[in-house]
């Protein structure tokens, strides 16, 4: 007897940046089979976003990528995100998904949208329609270069079509409840704790760093408080920065920071290698600016530091208050962050505290989040 099938309309390609959608979908395979629907491609899609898919042909591509996960890459018209073309984009994605379901001879128990593309309509009775909301799309519109009014319209449509809205933070849950969503469940981001049980040898760095070492993983963009990073480096704390840099953010100051003798930036790294980089750090830092978009988020990195046994220091975010643990230090100003990092570094390698951090992370694993999702659907 096969497991129920969940269609996941993903925000990123299966081979792209590993985010909440893929981590949750992978964990959900213990409860359901997954049809993962990549963001669509067209003849005009740059090669770096095609992830091996051919530029030739107009047929969607379907293939098995792991146990329990089948991947569909839809094909759409060029300029498919433009306002008047994206109507056809959503229709093509829905029709090609139904084609894939016929090929698999399966009917979904649920369809889950991980963005605001209009894919939740017209599924008929017996299919749960879910919006999996990881961000405040309207607050982040300017950051992403989108028109906030159009994004708000898309958000309203998606909420109207969804039987269930899953929010990763209390801020999002409150927002969408206030906008009249039929049903809202809070299922925060989690952490793949299994990756940190046997992390392997420390990754090779381009130059050595002396302690204490503060690590930051993630994208360095307008979400990041540059002043906090600079204050740590100014105070003599070494920095290990892991993740891509948005060239529009601090185009001069960020490169200058990475040239300092006590700073190493290794750029984007495969998700699987993150534990080997975290072996080098004493403290993990979540240096988010105080913005509406950031306040609605639930940073993966804070839980990843805990899973690695490292003490986190975070700026003041509702997600940290929801975790409600003294294992995470909260600091808002550059001076307070420096003090918190040095305080955390002093107890970073205490075996009892390392074990407490990892045990706490287990309570917030993706496996636990998948159980909550399976109950919410239900599966």
């Amino acid at each position: 007897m096969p497991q129920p099938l969940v269609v996941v309309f993903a925000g990123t390609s299966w081979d792209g940046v590993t985010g909440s959608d893929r981590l949750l979908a992978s964990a959900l395979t213990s409860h359901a089979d997954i049809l993962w629907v990549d963001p669509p491609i067209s003849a005009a899609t740059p090669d770096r976003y095609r992830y091996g898919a051919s530029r030739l042909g107009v047929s969607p591509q379907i293939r098995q990528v792991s146990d329990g996960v089948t991947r569909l890459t839809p094909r759409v018209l060029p300029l498919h995100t433009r306002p008047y073309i994206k109507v056809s984009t959503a229709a093509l994605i829905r029709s090609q998904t139904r084609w894939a379901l016929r090929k698999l001879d399966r009917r979904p128990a649920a369809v889950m949208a991980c963005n605001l593309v209009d894919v939740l309509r017209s599924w008929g009775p017996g299919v749960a329609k879910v919006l999996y909301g990881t961000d405040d799309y309207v607050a982040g519109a300017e950051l992403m270069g989108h028109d906030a009014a159009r994004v708000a319209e898309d958000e309203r449509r998606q909420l109207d079509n969804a039987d269930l809205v899953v929010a990763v933070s209390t801020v999002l849950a409150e927002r969408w409840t206030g906008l009249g969503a039929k049903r809202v469940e809070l299922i925060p981001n989690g952490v793949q704790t299994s990756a940190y049980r046997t992390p392997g040898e420390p990754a090779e760095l381009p130059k050595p760093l002396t302690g204490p070492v503060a690590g930051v993983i993630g994208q360095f963009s307008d979400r990041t408080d540059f002043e906090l990073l600079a204050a740590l480096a100014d105070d003599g704390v070494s920095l290990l920065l892991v993740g891509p840099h948005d060239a529009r953010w601090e185009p001069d100051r960020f490169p200058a920071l990475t040239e300092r003798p006590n700073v190493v930036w290794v750029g984007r790294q495969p998700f699987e290698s993150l534990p080997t980089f975290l072996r080098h750090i004493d403290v993990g830092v979540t240096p988010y600016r105080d913005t509406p978009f950031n306040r609605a988020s639930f940073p993966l990195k804070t839980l990843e530091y805990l899973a690695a046994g490292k003490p986190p220091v975070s700026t003041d975010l509702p997600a940290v208050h929801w975790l409600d643990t003294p294992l995470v230090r909260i600091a808002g100003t550059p001076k307070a962050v420096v003090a918190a990092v040095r305080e955390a570094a002093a107890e970073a390698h205490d075996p009892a505290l390392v074990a407490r951090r990892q045990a706490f992370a287990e309570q917030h694993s993706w496996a636990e989040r998948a159980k909550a999702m399976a109950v919410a659907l239900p599966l």
Side-chain angles (χ1 to χ4, degrees):
M1 184 74 176
Q3 296 190 109
L5 179 70
V6 176
V7 178
V8 177
F9 294 100
T12 55
S13 169
W14 182 263
D15 290 337
V17 176
T18 302
S20 303
D21 47 5
R22 177 169 167 179
L23 292 165
L24 177 62
S26 297
L28 203 56
T29 56
S30 295
H31 309 272
D33 295 329
I34 302 295
L35 174 60
W36 174 276
V37 183
D38 282 338
I41 61 171
S42 76
T45 301
D47 287 342
R48 67 182 180 276
Y49 298 126
R50 302 181 73 83
Y51 299 103
S54 170
R55 190 175 293 278
L56 302 176
V58 295
S59 300
Q61 186 176 5
I62 185 171
R63 56 236 188 255
Q64 191 86 18
V65 292
S66 66
D67 288 343
V69 180
T70 302
R71 174 186 179 187
L72 169 68
T73 303
R75 303 269 185 161
V76 294
L77 299 175
L79 307 177
H80 58 271
T81 61
R82 298 290 176 87
Y84 297 105
I85 299 177
K86 71 179 183 180
V87 175
S88 73
T89 299
L92 286 168
I93 294 172
R94 292 195 303 267
S95 66
Q96 290 173 39
T97 301
R98 289 188 172 90
W99 166 83
L101 291 168
R102 289 193 297 273
K103 294 275 287 185
L104 297 171
D105 193 24
R106 298 292 300 273
R107 186 174 189 275
V111 294
M112 183 187 306
C114 301
N115 49 46
L116 298 183
V117 177
D118 186 13
V119 293
L120 294 182
R121 67 169 71 191
S122 306
W123 285 98
V127 179
K129 298 179 287 295
V130 183
L131 171 61
Y132 178 52
T134 57
D135 292 299
D136 186 331
Y137 303 108
V138 177
E142 183 178 354
L143 179 66
M144 306 300 176
H146 299 152
D147 180 80
R150 289 188 182 276
V151 173
E153 291 176 8
D154 292 341
E155 179 188 54
R156 168 61 66 184
R157 183 204 59 241
Q158 205 78 315
L159 293 176
D160 289 344
N161 287 332
D163 303 313
L164 168 66
V165 176
V166 173
V168 303
S169 73
T170 55
V171 173
L172 289 174
E174 291 166 4
R175 170 179 167 76
W176 288 326
T177 298
L179 288 174
K182 300 180 186 76
R183 177 184 164 212
V184 179
E185 295 282 347
L186 174 64
I187 301 180
N189 282 335
V191 59
Q192 191 176 8
T193 52
S194 60
Y196 296 92
R197 294 184 194 128
T198 54
E201 293 298 316
E204 185 174 346
L205 300 183
K207 61 185 177 185
L209 291 174
T210 57
V213 179
V216 183
I217 56 176
Q219 186 177 58
F220 298 93
S221 68
D222 193 52
R223 303 184 70 176
T224 311
D225 190 330
F226 180 87
E227 304 303 333
L228 301 186
L229 301 181
L232 287 165
D234 289 344
D235 197 69
V237 174
S238 292
L239 292 179
L240 174 58
L241 310 178
V242 184
H245 170 231
D246 183 339
R248 297 168 297 179
W249 176 75
E250 299 293 351
D252 299 317
R253 292 202 296 171
F254 183 79
L257 176 71
T258 64
E259 292 298 319
R260 297 195 195 189
N262 61 331
V263 179
V264 166
W265 173 49
V266 296
R268 186 191 300 277
Q269 298 294 326
F271 175 79
E272 293 75 15
S273 71
L274 292 183
T276 67
F277 284 97
L278 292 186
R279 290 287 301 274
H280 288 283
I281 74 170
D282 300 300
V283 181
V285 181
T286 304
Y288 277 14
R289 294 172 55 227
D290 184 15
T291 67
F293 185 68
N294 283 343
R295 285 195 294 274
S297 70
F298 196 104
L300 293 167
K301 57 176 66 66
T302 303
L303 288 173
E304 287 170 332
Y305 301 145
L306 288 164
K310 310 297 183 177
V313 173
S314 175
T315 47
D316 194 349
L317 299 169
V320 178
H321 290 284
W322 182 86
L323 287 172
D324 191 25
T325 174
L327 296 172
V328 182
R329 288 173 169 82
I330 300 175
T333 66
K335 183 177 180 180
V337 167
V338 170
V341 165
R342 288 199 171 276
E343 182 182 76
E347 60 181 38
H349 305 289
D350 181 310
L353 286 173
V354 170
R356 281 184 60 196
R357 295 174 198 128
Q358 293 179 317
F360 182 83
E362 288 289 351
Q363 300 172 33
H364 298 276
S365 68
W366 281 114
E368 291 300 313
R369 301 300 192 240
K371 288 179 186 176
M373 182 68 82
V375 170
L377 286 174
L379 297 175

